[in-house]
């Protein structure tokens, strides 16, 4: 148990101070900070077999009510700040509708609809009675007791002989940070090189960026370590490129489609960066292609197979 608690309650909980503070501000039970332990082991990149993702394990079909975005640039299910607010809202709604935290937690696991059906069929809204009567499926029947056990143990570490540091809600970096609104590509690695901010800190604050690059043409709240906003703001006002590019010279037979597939970028990005309308590119034209990943220079596959035109064929009436 000691090894398990040390693993869960040390480096794997870098955002717990923010979750604690958010629960307190929402007047919700602070023991809910341990729900991600059974959901994801507090790992922000956790991915379940069913496709649920992040600390709070959101499915794609459950994000729209909470304004979470998932696209080629972003997956806000793995953003601890955004997903925490979504999860707390979901839990609070479950509680207000179902009337108890046991039922709210069960609904978090199996869905609000399933719990409403259980109440209707079991003619009670008492979680424990519904479990006894068999109206709650086994996974959800075990989910709530498992959470209660984990929360009890971790909330009473001295009693159980566990050793891990408590979070500092007032000073933790998950609670204190700067933000700046950007609407252009910024590669976090390049930003780190051009500023005093470490790449590790930039990734810590912006884990939802798929490529580590902010989306183009749409607004993104870039999080920064506290006290660094001014230097980034000044950097944004310069013409210094903040994203790396592959420079490619167009050869005979090349197409935007083939280049996009090779370099792992959308065709629209190659068109936007190079101000190309349509799909026509010219031999000798130099293209700037955003370097979202490390790849070799593009070269078209050569067709080495020779076609044999020798031999004869006799045309028949059936041809």
């Amino acid at each position: 148990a000691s090894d398990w608690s040390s693993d869960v309650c040390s480096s794997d909980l870098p955002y717990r101070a923010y979750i604690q503070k958010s629960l307190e501000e929402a007047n919700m039970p602070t023991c809910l900070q341990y729900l991600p332990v059974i959901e994801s082991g507090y790992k922000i990149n956790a991915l379940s077999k069913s496709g649920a993702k992040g600390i709070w394990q959101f499915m794609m079909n459950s994000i729209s009510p909470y304004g979470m975005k998932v696209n080629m640039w972003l997956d806000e299910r793995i953003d601890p700040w955004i997903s925490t607010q979504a999860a707390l809202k979901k839990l609070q709604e479950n509680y207000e509708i179902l009337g108890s935290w046991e039922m709210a937690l069960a609904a978090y696991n199996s869905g609000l609809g399933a719990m409403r059906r259980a109440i209707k069929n079991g003619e009670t809204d008492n979680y424990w009675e519904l479990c006894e009567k068999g109206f709650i499926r086994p996974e959800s029947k075990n989910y709530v007791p498992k959470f209660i056990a984990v929360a009890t143990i971790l909330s009473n570490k001295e009693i159980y002989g566990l050793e891990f540091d408590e979070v500092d809600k007032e000073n933790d970096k998950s609670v204190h940070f700067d933000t700046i609104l950007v609407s252009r590509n910024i590669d976090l690695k390049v930003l780190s090189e051009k500023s005093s901010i470490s790449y590790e800190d930039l990734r810590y604050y912006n884990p939802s960026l798929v490529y580590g690059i902010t989306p183009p043409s749409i607004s993104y709240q870039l999080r920064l370590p506290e006290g660094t906003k001014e230097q980034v703001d000044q950097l944004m006002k310069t013409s210094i490129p903040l994203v790396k590019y592959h420079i490619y010279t167009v050869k005979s037979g090349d197409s935007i489609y083939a280049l996009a597939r090779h370099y792992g970028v959308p065709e629209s990005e190659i068109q936007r960066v190079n101000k190309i309308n349509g799909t026509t590119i010219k031999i000798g034209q130099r293209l700037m292609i955003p370097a979202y990943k490390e790849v070799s220079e593009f070269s078209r596959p050569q067709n080495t197979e020779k076609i044999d035109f020798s031999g004869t064929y006799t045309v028949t009436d059936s041809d």
Side-chain angles (χ1 to χ4, degrees):
S2 180
D3 291 342
W4 168 80
S5 66
S6 296
D7 180 52
V8 169
C9 298
S10 57
S11 60
D12 285 339
L13 302 187
Y15 305 95
R16 187 159 63 104
Y18 175 76
I19 295 174
Q20 271 191 27
K21 190 174 179 67
S22 298
L23 286 165
E24 290 174 2
E25 290 172 350
N27 293 315
M28 296 171 69
T30 55
C31 64
L32 292 172
Q33 67 184 283
Y34 299 116
L35 185 58
V37 172
I38 62 172
E39 282 289 331
S40 62
Y42 251 100
K43 292 178 172 59
I44 64 170
N45 289 303
L47 178 65
S48 74
K49 292 179 181 178
S50 59
K53 202 168 187 180
I55 284 179
W56 294 97
Q57 291 289 280
F58 275 93
M59 296 284 290
M60 280 292 292
N61 62 6
S62 64
I63 64 174
S64 56
Y66 308 104
M68 300 170 73
K69 295 189 288 289
V70 176
N71 54 43
M72 69 158 290
W73 297 100
L74 296 167
D75 190 340
E76 291 183 339
R77 293 177 298 169
I78 61 175
D79 184 303
W81 294 273
I82 292 173
S83 64
T84 292
Q85 291 305 317
L88 268 53
K89 184 178 179 183
K90 185 176 183 179
L91 286 162
Q92 187 69 49
E93 288 172 350
N94 289 349
Y95 174 74
E96 289 171 359
I97 292 168
L98 299 172
S100 73
W101 285 112
E102 290 89 351
M103 292 293 284
L105 286 162
Y108 192 90
N109 176 253
S110 62
L112 188 57
M115 298 313 297
R116 279 174 160 162
R117 287 190 295 275
I119 290 170
K120 182 179 179 181
N121 295 331
E123 299 180 336
T124 178
D125 61 1
N126 184 287
Y127 170 79
W128 304 106
E129 288 182 26
L130 289 172
C131 288
E132 277 186 32
K133 293 179 178 180
F135 288 108
I136 294 180
R137 65 182 188 178
E139 183 186 341
S140 295
K141 183 178 178 179
N142 296 329
Y143 184 82
V144 176
K146 183 178 179 181
F147 165 73
I148 292 173
V150 167
T152 300
I153 291 169
L154 297 180
S155 297
N156 298 277
K157 60 178 184 176
E158 294 84 2
I159 295 174
Y160 292 96
L162 305 180
E163 293 183 7
F164 55 86
D165 294 332
E166 284 301 319
V167 296
D168 182 355
K169 296 190 298 295
E170 300 309 315
N171 300 300
D172 193 89
K173 69 178 188 177
S174 69
V175 176
H176 297 286
F177 51 87
D178 293 338
T179 62
I180 185 170
L181 192 65
V182 299
S183 56
R184 69 184 234 200
N185 280 133
I186 298 175
D187 187 326
L188 299 186
K189 287 183 180 177
V190 177
L191 179 58
S192 175
E193 291 168 3
K194 304 293 183 183
S195 70
S196 64
I197 309 168
S198 72
Y199 177 67
E200 290 70 27
D201 275 347
L202 289 170
R203 281 308 276 168
Y204 169 87
Y205 282 117
N206 302 277
S208 67
L209 296 177
V210 175
Y211 301 105
I213 300 173
T214 61
S217 307
I218 61 171
S219 296
Y220 174 79
Q221 285 282 1
L222 181 69
R223 295 190 196 90
L224 304 164
E226 193 171 33
T228 62
K229 180 177 180 177
E230 187 175 346
Q231 65 170 299
V232 174
D233 191 42
Q234 291 300 316
L235 199 57
M236 293 284 293
K237 292 175 181 177
T238 70
S239 58
I240 297 172
L242 292 176
V243 65
K244 292 181 179 178
Y245 293 93
H246 300 287
I247 307 298
Y248 179 77
T249 303
V250 177
K251 301 177 180 64
S252 175
D254 289 345
S255 67
I256 291 179
Y257 170 77
L259 290 167
R261 290 199 61 179
H262 177 77
Y263 287 103
V265 303
E267 294 175 66
S268 60
E269 274 304 285
I270 297 177
Q271 292 167 320
R272 183 188 66 81
V273 170
N274 296 280
K275 298 180 171 58
I276 297 171
N277 293 320
T279 57
T280 303
I281 51 178
K282 300 176 181 178
I283 296 173
Q285 181 178 358
R286 286 165 64 84
L287 299 177
M288 294 175 64
I289 303 174
Y292 300 157
K293 59 182 182 180
E294 294 295 327
V295 294
S296 59
E297 182 171 330
F298 174 74
S299 61
R300 292 179 63 227
Q302 300 298 313
N303 187 358
T304 57
E305 183 181 346
K306 294 183 179 180
I307 302 174
D308 185 2
F309 289 102
S310 63
T312 60
Y313 177 74
T314 303
V315 177
T316 65
D317 291 341
S318 61
D319 287 344

